[in-house]
Amino acid sequence: MATLKCDVVSAKGPIYSGTIRMLIATGSEGELGILPGHTPLITLLKPGPLRIRIDDNKENDEYVYIKGGVLEVQPHRVTILADSAERASTLDEVRLEEERRKTQELINSQKTDFDMTAAYVSLAETVAQLQTIRKYRNRT
């Protein structure tokens, strides 16, 4: 089976490095599926889950939350330079759900001294992290 080399790096250091069968990421125009032999590409990534298919067994898939970044595809390599990244297995669902609830309450109250743009960005990031956790948990 055809494979390609994959590196996921954040400002804090490497998150993943290895040989993969497929990568699924959320690009600026929607979800991208990267397979061996993909056309060379550079695109911006939106906050969301990054699914790394290592082999044919879905239970071995790696899930990483990225806050955004850049994806580069070359003939035998895919590189993700993430603004920040964290493995789904280390995300705290209870804390994130509470953060989402509090942010949503602030938005609904529409206080005049509150930065709505920052609240919506925070809410979007929290929801993307929760989606990453749920995809990781339901990978079987």
Side-chain angles (χ1 to χ4, degrees):
M1 289 275 157
T3 60
L4 64 155
K5 177 82 170 119
C6 177
D7 292 301
V8 180
V9 181
S10 77
K12 292 182 180 179
I15 300 295
Y16 178 87
S17 183
T19 302
I20 65 168
R21 299 282 311 276
M22 178 176 65
L23 176 97
I24 298 174
T26 306
S28 58
E29 301 298 317
E31 285 208 333
L32 297 160
I34 308 297
L35 294 165
H38 194 285
T39 302
L41 167 75
I42 295 177
T43 189
L44 294 175
L45 296 174
K46 293 165 78 171
L50 182 68
R51 179 177 171 191
I52 302 168
R53 169 68 49 90
I54 297 169
D55 55 32
D56 289 333
N57 187 350
K58 290 181 181 181
E59 292 180 17
N60 294 333
D61 288 0
E62 290 275 347
Y63 284 85
V64 175
Y65 167 75
I66 61 168
K67 191 173 179 178
V70 177
L71 173 122
E72 178 187 27
V73 179
Q74 292 298 323
H76 302 288
R77 175 181 294 274
V78 60
T79 304
I80 290 126
L81 304 174
D83 297 337
S84 70
E86 188 173 351
R87 289 182 183 271
S89 59
T90 65
L91 293 171
D92 182 347
E93 185 173 14
V94 173
R95 179 190 60 79
L96 289 168
E97 191 59 50
E98 180 64 16
E99 185 178 321
R100 185 205 59 76
R101 186 189 61 74
K102 286 180 180 179
T103 303
Q104 188 65 57
E105 285 176 3
L106 287 170
I107 290 170
N108 292 343
S109 71
Q110 296 185 353
K111 293 182 179 178
T112 57
D113 62 341
F114 186 68
D115 185 350
M116 292 299 278
T117 302
Y120 281 119
V121 168
S122 175
L123 182 61
E125 289 175 1
T126 303
V127 168
Q129 287 173 320
L130 288 166
Q131 288 173 341
T132 302
I133 291 169
R134 291 173 183 140
K135 285 184 178 189
Y136 169 72
R137 191 177 37 210
N138 296 323
R139 67 179 183 229
T140 56

